[in-house]
Amino acid sequence: MGKKILLTGGLGYIGSHTAVELFHAGFQPILLDNLSNSRVDVLDRIGEIIQQPLHFYLGDVRDGKILRQIFSEHQIEGVIHFAALKSVSESVQQPLKYFDVNVSGLTQLLQVMQESNVKKLVFSSSCTVYGQPTDNWEVSENTPLQDPMSPYARTKRMNEEMIQDVCHTGFLSAVILRYFNPVGAHPSGLIGELPLGVPANLVPFLTQSVAGIRQPLTVFGNDYPTSDGTCIRDYIHVVDLAKAHVAALNFNSKEHSPEVFNVGTGKGSTVLEVISSFEKTTGLTVPFSIGPRREGDITAVYANTEKIQRELNWKSNYCLDDMMLHAWNWQKNQN
Ligand code: NAD
Ligand code: WQD
């Protein structure tokens, strides 16, 4: 049996895809989730893909008792910490909830890891820590970080700094992955993103709108200084992103300092390019209209991926068309 890796938030969108890729790479994923933003049947779906049941603990990452139980029942080699709240708008309304789950959650996890002498951490950070880059839309890991634009972004910035401080003590060996915009779903159509209520993100809103569950899509602004006036993001297939976690676990980061990697394709796409990619690959029409800008949106950002290619030997394989096709396959399987 392979090395045991704890995935907090393991039934969520990125955690579930990572569980599959870890298993294929010979690891043994152990999942913890409080189901605050996921459903327990995802466990069966993962099992169907890998043809194996996985260990699952129902519990909260802020609960030291369950963490101690997991570390005593299994020899855990490393932890991938996905469990967090991720809605930018909700974080503005309820910042304390975000500090509690995202900041206290990581504090508790690191405390119990230290007690249990588990030294390896891979952490889910976000391109949101870059804010709107001032000089260049392409950001590398050395691009200066801007002041956080939301409490959510602040929690990710704080999390990165906490990890840095704990690494300095010499106990922790950490990789921080700054995800760009994860989209798409597993090619099997069995797992994907499960947004609660009206999706705030582009791709789940788009697919739900094509499925007739939502109103036509509103494109938030076409007067940005980009090629077609709409915002630019670096969309990354969730399976490619999941594979970056396997590479991160296999990487021996320096002691005393976390290693940070951008995880994106390195290519920016406008909102209108996303829509035409969807229409081209599915043959369907996306109902949309142009609306006003969304408050807080940045104009453009995409990843410089040289560091992750060089040091983790990872690069994305799926293109935007694949992302759209798989997102639509997944949407069609929902009822
Ligand atoms: P998700 O909501 O689908 O997954 C998070 C999982 O964590 C959910 O299953 C949820 O039930 C669980 N969870 C939340 N609070 C918990 C707690 N206190 N204890 C135990 N489990 C808890 O989100 P995701 O898109 O898979 O995101 C995973 C991580 O990646 C998060 O840290 C998120 O901030 C980060 N991230 C996501 C994106 C994105 O666009 N999806 C981009 C950058 C970074
Ligand atoms: C993408 C583009 C919108 C919806 C957010 C978080 C970020 C990270 C990823 C976690 C933008 C446009 C969207 C719609 C639209 N998450 N859009 N109509 O804003 O880049 O990033 O998710 O860390 O922190 O802020 O992603 O999918 O919301 O938007 O036109 O109905 O689509 O303006 O240009 P975003 P998004």
Side-chain angles (χ1 to χ4, degrees):
M1 270 307 210
K3 289 181 181 169
K4 291 184 175 179
I5 307 296
L6 173 64
L7 275 57
T8 72
L11 290 185
Y13 175 44
I14 304 166
S16 56
H17 290 82
T18 303
V20 169
E21 297 309 319
L22 284 179
F23 178 82
H24 288 325
F27 290 97
Q28 211 183 320
I30 312 275
L31 314 184
L32 167 71
D33 205 298
N34 69 354
L35 302 181
S36 61
N37 198 34
S38 50
R39 293 199 316 236
V40 75
D41 62 81
V42 173
L43 187 62
D44 300 329
R45 306 292 195 92
I46 299 171
E48 210 175 319
I49 297 171
I50 66 173
Q51 295 289 301
Q52 290 264 331
L54 290 182
H55 277 285
F56 169 61
Y57 289 84
L58 175 61
D60 198 296
V61 75
R62 291 164 294 177
D63 176 5
K65 211 165 126 227
I66 189 137
L67 291 174
R68 288 188 190 91
Q69 184 191 339
I70 298 171
F71 289 124
S72 68
E73 290 179 0
H74 302 276
Q75 164 124 32
I76 302 286
E77 301 282 338
V79 178
I80 310 183
H81 182 45
F82 297 104
L85 301 178
K86 63 167 181 178
S87 158
V88 172
S89 57
E90 188 188 49
S91 79
V92 175
Q93 302 304 320
Q94 301 183 60
L96 291 176
K97 188 169 159 186
Y98 278 68
F99 293 130
D100 185 17
V101 175
N102 296 8
V103 181
S104 307
L106 177 64
T107 311
Q108 185 63 252
L109 175 67
L110 290 173
Q111 214 144 28
V112 180
M113 283 174 70
Q114 184 158 22
E115 275 170 37
S116 316
N117 205 27
V118 176
K119 291 172 186 290
K120 206 173 182 83
L121 176 75
V122 178
F123 176 71
S124 303
S125 189
S126 165
C127 66
T128 194
V129 298
Y130 293 114
Q132 175 62 70
T134 46
D135 298 333
N136 193 345
W137 293 340
E138 181 186 89
V139 292
S140 81
E141 293 78 359
N142 295 325
T143 300
L145 305 184
Q146 304 293 320
D147 279 346
M149 290 169 73
S150 68
Y152 169 73
R154 192 180 304 283
T155 64
K156 290 294 171 188
R157 176 76 177 266
M158 289 167 77
N159 287 157
E160 289 199 6
E161 290 170 349
M162 289 161 67
I163 291 168
Q164 201 164 5
D165 287 345
V166 178
C167 280
H168 281 158
T169 68
F171 128 74
L172 190 67
S173 160
V175 171
I176 292 172
L177 299 179
R178 291 183 183 150
Y179 311 156
F180 280 67
N181 287 55
V183 297
H186 196 266
S188 65
L190 286 168
I191 52 173
E193 192 168 5
L194 281 167
L196 286 180
V198 183
N201 295 115
L202 176 63
V203 175
F205 195 99
L206 184 158
T207 56
Q208 290 194 8
S209 144
V210 174
I213 302 166
R214 303 284 163 212
Q215 299 296 307
L217 173 73
T218 302
V219 173
F220 296 141
N222 68 348
D223 58 351
Y224 286 95
T226 61
S227 56
D228 61 24
T230 64
C231 294
I232 292 176
R233 299 288 185 273
D234 186 340
Y235 298 94
I236 167 87
H237 196 295
V238 66
V239 172
D240 278 333
L241 174 58
K243 289 178 178 165
H245 295 78
V246 176
L249 279 175
N250 288 328
F251 177 75
N252 281 323
S253 52
K254 286 191 297 280
E255 290 198 351
H256 301 290
S257 165
E259 206 64 60
V260 180
F261 296 103
N262 285 343
V263 198
T265 62
K267 186 179 175 304
S269 304
T270 67
V271 178
L272 293 179
E273 284 166 351
V274 170
I275 293 173
S276 40
S277 165
F278 183 92
E279 292 188 330
K280 187 180 80 182
T281 45
T282 63
L284 299 166
T285 301
V286 177
F288 76 91
S289 62
I290 306 290
R293 291 182 176 197
R294 180 172 67 177
E295 201 191 335
D297 263 342
I298 59 172
T299 302
V301 67
Y302 55 92
N304 176 307
T305 57
E306 280 166 23
K307 184 177 178 197
I308 191 164
Q309 287 195 39
R310 188 180 62 241
E311 296 188 29
L312 296 192
N313 197 21
W314 174 95
K315 68 176 176 51
S316 62
N317 282 312
Y318 289 109
C319 65
L320 189 59
D321 290 352
D322 302 322
M323 302 179 211
M324 294 302 118
L325 192 63
H326 294 156
W328 179 240
N329 280 344
W330 164 246
Q331 180 63 53
K332 277 191 302 184
N333 286 344
Q334 309 307 301
N335 43 33

